[in-house]
Amino acid sequence: MLRRCSMSHFFIATVVISTLISILGQQRPWTTMLPQELLGLDLRFDKNATTMASTDFGRLTQVLPAAVLYPSSVQDITTLVKSSFSSYLPFSIAARGHGHSIHGQAMAHNGVVIQMGSLNHTHEIRINVSSSSSDFYADVGGEQLWIDVLRATLRHGLAPPSFTDYLYLSVGGTLSNAGVSGQTFLHGPQISNVYELDVVTGKGKMVTCSKHHRSELFYAVLGGLGQFGVITRARIALHPAPQMVKRTRLLYTDFSAFTRDQEYLISLNIGEGFDYVEGSLIRDETEIDTWRSSFSKKDKEKIRSLLAKHHLIYLLEGTKYYDTVSAPTADQEVDLLLNGLTFIPGFAFKNDLLYVGFLNRVYDGELELRHKGLWDVPHPWLIIFVPKSRISDFNEGVFKKILKRNSTMGPVLVYPMNRNKWDERMSAVTPDEDVFYHVGFLRSAMHDWEYLEDQNKEILSFCVDNGIKTKQYFPHYTTNTEWKNHFGPKWNKFIERKKSFDPKGLLSPGQKIFTSMPWQWK
Ligand code: FAD
């Protein structure tokens, strides 16, 4: 730690940082001493710290930063960014939430990575639940994990309405993307459920923003891929939490019946249908057995015989929330819903789960995969949003043909969302249709990750060649033209916002959006 380092350590640190810090992406030696204002920060240059920050969940990229900041207060972050912004030799800075990116998005080549989780180790309480006359909300630190937000809010009988499937992700990290799951069709992505933010901009200024105050920054940051500021606090909407969920899994062999039912279910309003709708593919025996499916032995046998005949099964998953008051009618409501659906007769599977157990279901999967040595492996994931009008072509070309060539590689998720639950003013992008599908290829690879990356490219090429206008979620591009296409009509706004809030291009360099000098941004 710099705070305690001797003169020799200080000298090494200065030399190291001088060789590493870059001016807007260009390597230049930093000849001056480490600025005075950084001396009080817990800024670490050792191999342990920099190696940790050089990798992520994807395990496909390795990029070493010059240093890692372990902030003990939000002020430390402001100090760091301000120091870079006002320096003649600015350095890049990346906030790292939980490092669950795939392609190095939270890395900073020769810059400084901020280990956001360090804020959690201060004495300050970083999750505070409150209410106004009309709303319940929680003020949570950007570094907080959603599992901790859930646990803290449940103590008040409340919970956020919109989650991700996996809860060990940081608030700042998912709000920089969108935060989607089976509740998105009803409540919008997590970015649609934020009232207010505290953000340290690329100029090192702490700004509180909302829809009504400094709204340009507010909308920029939500889905903004970390480009406009570091989120240090988010005010998240809360709803009364249910206690239990009725989970229903329905099987289909006819893709159009599967999507018709999904689209019908997401057209229903709150209270009329399911509270959560997702879907996935079952393509081989191993997918019947995974932690994600958790069918009983008898049900597995039944599904196996179906799979032997059809080779590709579509699984629709819907859940209905309930509590002690609604318990007596919850079953009837689900049965009524099922009456209108066209799944294969006899292939509806129901079970009851605790609400928290349901929301935290992927964690069980993590433990299982860790146990098998399959968690800390390369993850060549691809997640795209596919417009509803072309999902059937996507099924024919990708699920039935391209994917046919390899079997086990992780879940493939397929579920629709309503665009009217997304706010166009935010930076996040979606396809240009009222309904679009989230299609996630959540691949784990032992040795063949290059092959799977190639297959991802093949899927994207198939879409381009067939005029299927997808948008990548959690996007990964390397050229200006690709980013321009990704943002489409939002691109000019994105650049304007970058010029306003991070004019020196310091923040989140790992996204590789602004790789040229600011005057070349176009
Ligand atoms: P990081 O990977 O640390 O950071 C992601 C980006 O956000 C980086 O550019 C970083 O610089 C920036 N950033 C981080 N913190 C801040 C901050 N405080 N302020 C500003 N910028 C910041 N996504 C979904 O939407 N739904 C899912 O169901 C879902 N499930 C997932 C399951 C797993 C197992 C994994 C690995 C990922 C999943 N994701 C899901 C993707 C997830 O949203 C991204 O990984 C996201 O990046 C959050 O991860 P993180 O908190 O570790 O962020």
Side-chain angles (χ1 to χ4, degrees):
M1 290 185 355
L2 255 181
R3 198 178 274 141
R4 287 187 229 119
C5 74
S6 64
M7 274 314 286
S8 64
H9 280 112
F10 175 74
F11 176 71
I12 292 166
T14 307
V15 170
V16 170
I17 207 163
S18 70
T19 58
L20 299 171
I21 303 258
S22 57
I23 304 176
L24 306 172
Q26 280 197 340
Q27 192 84 14
R28 303 249 178 104
W30 198 13
T31 47
T32 53
M33 298 289 278
L34 198 64
Q36 185 71 25
E37 67 272 12
L38 296 185
L39 297 180
L41 304 186
D42 185 355
L43 201 50
R44 302 182 197 177
F45 299 86
D46 61 90
K47 209 168 161 226
N48 278 349
T50 54
T51 305
M52 176 283 300
S54 72
T55 176
D56 61 19
F57 180 80
R59 289 186 175 249
L60 305 168
T61 310
Q62 200 166 23
V63 172
L64 270 177
V68 180
L69 173 70
Y70 287 76
S72 55
S73 68
V74 169
Q75 181 60 45
D76 286 359
I77 298 174
T78 312
T79 302
L80 180 82
V81 182
K82 199 180 277 173
S83 170
S84 176
F85 179 71
S86 50
S87 168
Y88 171 62
L89 298 163
F91 48 91
S92 62
I93 296 169
R96 178 181 166 101
H98 210 215
H100 277 57
S101 288
I102 297 297
H103 287 104
Q105 286 93 337
M107 296 180 194
H109 177 56
N110 292 338
V112 178
V113 168
I114 306 173
Q115 184 64 23
M116 295 297 291
S118 175
L119 287 173
N120 210 17
H121 304 137
T122 61
H123 294 301
E124 197 189 338
I125 296 172
R126 303 277 300 159
I127 304 178
N128 291 291
V129 176
S130 318
S131 63
S132 67
S133 54
S134 54
D135 298 307
F136 297 109
Y137 56 84
D139 285 301
V140 306
E143 75 290 351
Q144 293 297 314
L145 302 184
W146 286 99
I147 182 68
D148 296 319
V149 176
L150 175 65
R151 286 188 182 129
T153 55
L154 280 177
R155 280 184 222 121
H156 301 259
L158 300 166
S162 189
F163 283 93
T164 44
D165 283 346
Y166 179 60
L167 302 182
Y168 289 76
L169 302 169
S170 76
V171 168
T174 70
L175 295 185
S176 297
N177 285 287
V180 298
S181 175
Q183 302 97 355
T184 305
F185 81 91
L186 203 55
H187 300 287
Q190 290 178 318
I191 50 172
S192 296
N193 292 278
V194 179
Y195 294 139
E196 192 177 273
L197 295 170
D198 281 347
V199 175
V200 178
T201 68
K203 294 176 180 172
K205 289 197 179 127
M206 165 60 77
V207 180
T208 299
C209 56
S210 68
K211 279 182 189 171
H212 311 291
H213 176 70
R214 308 289 301 264
S215 59
E216 196 60 27
L217 179 61
F218 181 73
Y219 292 125
V221 166
L222 294 170
L225 305 175
Q227 295 304 303
F228 309 106
V230 178
I231 301 168
T232 56
R233 177 187 63 94
R235 180 167 288 182
I236 310 286
L238 299 178
H239 286 189
Q243 289 156 344
M244 301 284 293
V245 307
K246 288 209 173 287
R247 177 160 70 160
T248 310
R249 267 92 50 92
L250 310 170
L251 299 192
Y252 298 76
T253 48
D254 176 356
F255 188 70
S256 55
F258 167 69
T259 51
R260 195 172 50 241
D261 282 358
Q262 281 192 322
E263 287 166 24
Y264 164 68
L265 289 169
I266 70 151
S267 72
L268 301 174
N269 294 317
I270 294 181
E272 291 175 358
F274 284 128
D275 296 290
Y276 161 105
V277 174
E278 283 204 4
S280 55
L281 307 185
I282 299 179
R283 291 162 305 138
D284 65 34
E285 293 240 345
T286 57
E287 282 169 348
I288 305 173
D289 268 327
T290 62
W291 53 271
R292 208 174 172 104
S293 59
S294 61
F295 290 108
S296 71
K297 209 172 157 197
K298 197 167 128 232
D299 294 342
K300 277 181 195 167
E301 279 312 314
K302 219 170 145 183
I303 300 169
R304 254 184 216 116
S305 54
L306 184 71
L307 190 63
K309 279 188 231 138
H310 294 276
H311 310 294
L312 177 58
I313 302 175
Y314 307 99
L315 183 154
L316 189 160
E317 185 180 19
T319 68
K320 181 100 191 146
Y321 297 163
Y322 69 97
D323 51 29
T324 40
V325 179
S326 53
T329 54
D331 254 333
Q332 277 171 308
E333 285 175 34
V334 170
D335 287 342
L336 216 64
L337 265 180
L338 299 195
N339 278 343
L341 305 181
T342 53
F343 54 92
I344 309 168
F347 284 88
F349 306 94
K350 293 194 267 180
N351 63 329
D352 292 82
L353 295 165
L354 283 174
Y355 174 65
V356 66
F358 167 68
L359 288 181
N360 199 21
R361 64 204 175 279
V362 178
Y363 183 62
D364 296 336
E366 174 180 346
L367 294 181
E368 195 180 314
L369 292 174
R370 276 191 189 283
H371 182 68
K372 291 181 184 161
L374 292 174
W375 186 258
D376 292 323
V377 297
H379 294 103
W381 283 18
L382 173 69
I383 304 177
I384 46 180
F385 293 161
V386 180
K388 167 187 150 177
S389 65
R390 303 302 305 277
I391 193 68
S392 159
D393 300 321
F394 192 88
N395 174 53
E396 291 300 323
V398 178
F399 297 154
K400 287 192 177 169
K401 293 202 179 108
I402 297 179
L403 286 196
K404 210 175 166 192
R405 295 202 304 271
N406 62 322
S407 48
T408 51
M409 52 161 212
V412 178
L413 304 183
V414 193
Y415 59 90
M417 297 185 270
N418 293 310
R419 188 162 170 234
N420 64 6
K421 300 288 177 185
W422 295 64
D423 190 324
E424 268 306 298
R425 292 166 291 187
M426 294 175 184
S427 296
V429 291
T430 66
D432 197 12
E433 280 189 20
D434 290 347
V435 171
F436 56 89
Y437 278 78
H438 171 288
V439 181
F441 302 92
L442 313 185
R443 306 156 180 281
S444 298
M446 292 302 278
H447 310 292
D448 53 353
W449 65 267
E450 284 103 340
Y451 167 73
L452 294 174
E453 283 271 88
D454 286 346
Q455 199 175 65
N456 289 342
K457 286 183 198 144
E458 193 183 345
I459 292 169
L460 293 171
S461 298
F462 168 83
C463 293
V464 172
D465 294 347
N466 289 280
I468 303 178
K469 294 194 170 126
T470 60
K471 290 290 176 196
Q472 278 191 42
Y473 176 58
F474 204 22
H476 167 59
Y477 298 111
T478 48
T479 67
N480 181 258
T481 311
E482 287 172 317
W483 279 113
K484 225 169 163 169
N485 285 339
H486 174 75
F487 284 104
K490 287 190 179 183
W491 178 240
N492 288 341
K493 180 69 122 184
F494 201 80
I495 293 181
E496 264 172 47
R497 287 170 166 174
K498 185 73 174 174
K499 286 180 178 164
S500 289
F501 304 121
D502 181 21
K504 291 194 176 176
L506 306 180
L507 301 176
S508 276
Q511 299 279 3
K512 297 193 172 65
I513 305 176
F514 296 98
T515 48
S516 58
M517 294 295 183
W519 56 91
Q520 294 169 315
W521 294 345
K522 55 180 176 26

